């Protein structure tokens, strides 16, 4: 096993006792919402088969293969310490034991071990060498995490972990941050160019309400970086706890949509741990949510890093794919699940019976009717396994990826369908880690009615960033052509995420991978406009999605950021679209800069008041890095208008996924403006409502709504007489209902 710290044996002349006693553990703050649940209903055979498969995988999982099994990994290192006599190996085992203890949520244990080692080795300011720095770094972040657990987790409130930290977000229990500050001062006195420690020092002072006044001037990150103009008058506040949707978990996915067709949006969310239970949160008439996992038939359906939904069988109810095994390598042979929605708040796992059983690591998939036959197909982007294209044959599936040349093997991280040339057929984009990204053009084949896919990635100019993660298509400038966003995610710099955040705040050149904003030129090529539009910042986005947070008609986006290390407590980011001409960072102005790790994101009007809210899954990649999901309620008073369009396909797929919509509105100056939308669930990490929630800005009225249906004939319909600030159901061939 790789040693973290190759000290010479002479450095370790002390025999540290191998028994550890931590005075009090904070692990209770890190536990999932509840213990193992028992189903309240009889589960069908398909669900029971999947539960058995998942349970077997979980019980037989090797901790060396899965870094989320931190309790077992810590126990293994403690066992090695009981017998190991070699001083150098013992030192390394102590360090690794402390790492895994912290990752398991045993914060006090990690602090105790590290303190014992440092004291035994008599490390002081004078003999503090680069070799010893690793222990100090780990001890400092352990104290930071202790402060988070005692305050932000155990005493959670809407201001917890939102930077700039203020009000009720300031820690009442101060010892964790105080000890961290003392250690970071030691580190920075010896290593003044350590930007990550500098960033974390400023955050630690902030948690105590002592930023910026008491931060030593040589290490201060000026408070001016948090001064932003809120041009959209956007007001957001976390009400996840109030509404009962603040699920406590690690990284995971989410689906936000009306899952029982009662007119209210529901939420389903996952947590990454092997045995973490999926949660179904059903919205009640009073606007609160009731967790109905036990009555939904989902008990035992565990794990999941991402989710994506559609109506695969055209029965009018949204079904859900749960994706598993992402990041865990070739040994992570987890199947994904297709959960059939029965329409009565219950779900059946139909993966095996429908021909979808595919044990391989993945966290991204996308629904799209690539041949417009009225049945949505499923592309699954595996990690270092051949990708799969499951054609939907009237409710059953067959893998045809090889036939269409889409069985690429790469470290796939995101995938989305989008019609880049407006020919009525969706094209496919794939983001990858450490390899060029792919764009396949969906074209007519030699045989009438047949489709083929052409790799135009290089010619289109969309292969970068080489280290990519979430991605999506959206028309950010409303010119009628889908543009492309691809996040950067530099795994080579995982240990410097905080340092990169400091570099950005200090106006220093970026070192990590930048995102790309590609403008569609209308000829199957794209232009990188990232710098021109102000989005060329290192953000380490893990999950993200787009929506229109102020109903001005121009799509904005929210980034869930971070990396596995506890040091990556960097803010999630909200970017506001300024009329299709530029994006501005309004994170701090809108109190959305949550510094816990962000994953799946969904924009949706959850409270049915006409503006979109944001639901975000929080938590990291290790067992103890749990946090509560957030629901940012939108109470902005913008004066902007909106319309909601729920489409129902007939010859097109029932949910109308892929339908293109043009909304023509009249503005106060009597000019006309077109707003463009595509029916989809958003980006590749997070799954939001299939109802089109369209902002209309200051429009005085809607002139017409044009819909191009994703059917064999690409039928177009013009709808008139639609009022602003209304919700409308439109059925293919019928019009308004």
């Amino acid at each position: 096993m790789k040693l973290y710290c190759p000290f010479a044996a002479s450095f370790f002349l002390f025999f540290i006792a191998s028994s550890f006693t931590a005075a009090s553990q904070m692990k209770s703050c890190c536990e999932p919402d509840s213990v193992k649940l028992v189903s309240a209903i009889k589960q069908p055979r398909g669900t029971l088969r999947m539960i058995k498969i998942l349970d077997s995988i979980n019980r037989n999982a090797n901790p060396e293969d899965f870094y989320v099994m931190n309790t077992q990994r810590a126990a293994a290192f403690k066992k090695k310490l009981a017998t190991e006599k070699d001083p150098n190996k013992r030192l390394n085992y102590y360090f690794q034991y402390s790492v895994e203890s912290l990752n398991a949520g045993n914060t006090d244990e990690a602090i105790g071990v590290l303190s014992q080692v440092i004291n035994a080795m008599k490390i002081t300011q004078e003999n503090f060498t680069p070799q010893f720095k690793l222990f100090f770094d780990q001890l400092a972040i352990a104290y930071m995490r202790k402060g988070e657990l005692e305050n932000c987790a155990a005493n959670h409130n809407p201001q917890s972990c939102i930077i700039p930290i203020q009000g009720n977000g300031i820690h009442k229990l101060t010892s964790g941050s105080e000890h961290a500050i003392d250690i970071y001062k030691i580190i920075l006195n010896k290593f003044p160019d350590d930007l990550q420690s500098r960033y974390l020092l400023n955050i630690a002072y902030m948690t105590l309400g002592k930023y910026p006044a008491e931060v030593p001037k040589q290490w201060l990150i000026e408070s001016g970086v948090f001064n932003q103009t809120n041009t959209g008058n956007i007001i957001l506040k976390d009400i996840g706890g109030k509404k009962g949707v603040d699920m406590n978990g690690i990284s995971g996915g989410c689906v936000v949509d009306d899952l029982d067709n009662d007119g209210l949006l529901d939420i389903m969310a996952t947590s990454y741990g092997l045995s973490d239970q999926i949660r179904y949160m059903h919205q009640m008439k009073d606007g609160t949510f009731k967790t109905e996992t036990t009555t939904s038939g989902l008990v035992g359906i565990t794990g999941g890093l991402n989710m994506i939904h559609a109506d695969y069988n055209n029965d009018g109810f949204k079904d859900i794919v749960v994706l598993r095994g992402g990041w865990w390598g070739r040994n992570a042979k987890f199947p994904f699940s297709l959960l059939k929605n029965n329409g009565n708040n219950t779900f059946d796992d139909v993966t095996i019976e429908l021909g979808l059983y595919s044990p391989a690591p993945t966290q991204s998939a996308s629904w799209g009717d690539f041949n417009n036959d009225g049945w949505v197909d499923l592309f699954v982007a595996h990690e270092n396994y051949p990708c799969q294209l499951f054609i939907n044959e009237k409710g059953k599936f067959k893998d045809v990826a090889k036939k269409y040349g889409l069985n690429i093997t790469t470290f796939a991280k995101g995938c989305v369908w989008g019609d880049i040339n407006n020919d009525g057929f969706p094209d496919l984009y794939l983001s990858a880690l450490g390899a060029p990204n792919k764009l396949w053009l969906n074209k007519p084949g030699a045989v009438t009615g047949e489709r083929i896919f052409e790799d135009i990635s290089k010619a289109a100019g969309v292969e970068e960033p080489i280290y990519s993660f979430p991605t999506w298509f959206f028309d950010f400038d409303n010119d009628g052509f889908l543009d492309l966003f691809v996040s950067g995610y530099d795994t080579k710099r995982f240990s410097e995420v905080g340092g990169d955040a400091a570099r950005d705040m200090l106006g220093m050149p970026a070192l990590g991978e930048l995102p790309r904003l590609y403008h569609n030129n209308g000829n199957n090529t794209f232009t990188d406009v990232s710098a021109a539009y102000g989005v060329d910042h290192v953000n380490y986005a893990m999950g993200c999605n787009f929506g229109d947070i102020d109903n001005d008609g121009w799509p904005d986006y929210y980034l869930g950021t971070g990396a596995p290390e506890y040091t990556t407590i960097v803010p999630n980011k909200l970017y506001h679209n300024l009329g299709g001409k530029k994006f501005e960072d309004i994170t701090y102005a809108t109190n959305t800069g949550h510094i816990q790790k962000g994953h799946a994101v969904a924009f949706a009007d959850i409270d049915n008041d006409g503006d979109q809210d944001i639901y975000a899954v929080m938590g990291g990649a290790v067992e103890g890095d749990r946090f509560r999901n957030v629901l940012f309620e939108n109470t902005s008073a913008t004066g902007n208008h909106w319309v909601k369009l729920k489409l129902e396909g007939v010859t097109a797929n029932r949910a109308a996924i892929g339908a293109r919509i043009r909304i023509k509105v009249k503005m106060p100056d009597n000019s006309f403006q077109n707003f463009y939308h595509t029916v989809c669930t958003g980006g590749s990490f997070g799954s939001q409502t299939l109802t089109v929630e369209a902002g209309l800005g200051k429009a005085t009225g809607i002139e017409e709504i044009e819909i191009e249906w994703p059917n064999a004939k690409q039928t177009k319909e013009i709808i008139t007489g639609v009022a602003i600030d209304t919700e409308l159901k439109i059925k293919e061939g019928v019009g308004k209902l």
Side-chain angles (χ1 to χ4, degrees), residues 422 475-483 519-520 554 674 676:
N422 293 343
D475 189 355
F476 72 80
D477 58 353
N478 280 310
D479 67 351
F481 287 93
L482 285 176
D483 310 298
H519 179 258
N520 190 335
W554 305 89
N674 288 314
Y676 295 89

Side-chain angles (χ1 to χ4, degrees), residues 305 323-327 332 334 336 360-365 380-383 412:
L305 187 54
L323 302 157
R324 303 184 178 94
W327 293 110
F334 288 81
F336 64 85
T362 183
Q363 68 173 50
S364 186
V380 182
H382 295 301
E383 296 177 357

Side-chain angles (χ1 to χ4, degrees), residues 209-221:
K210 298 179 178 181
Y211 172 91
E214 297 188 31
V215 182
K217 291 189 184 303
Q218 66 269 35
W219 301 319
L220 176 65
I221 297 175

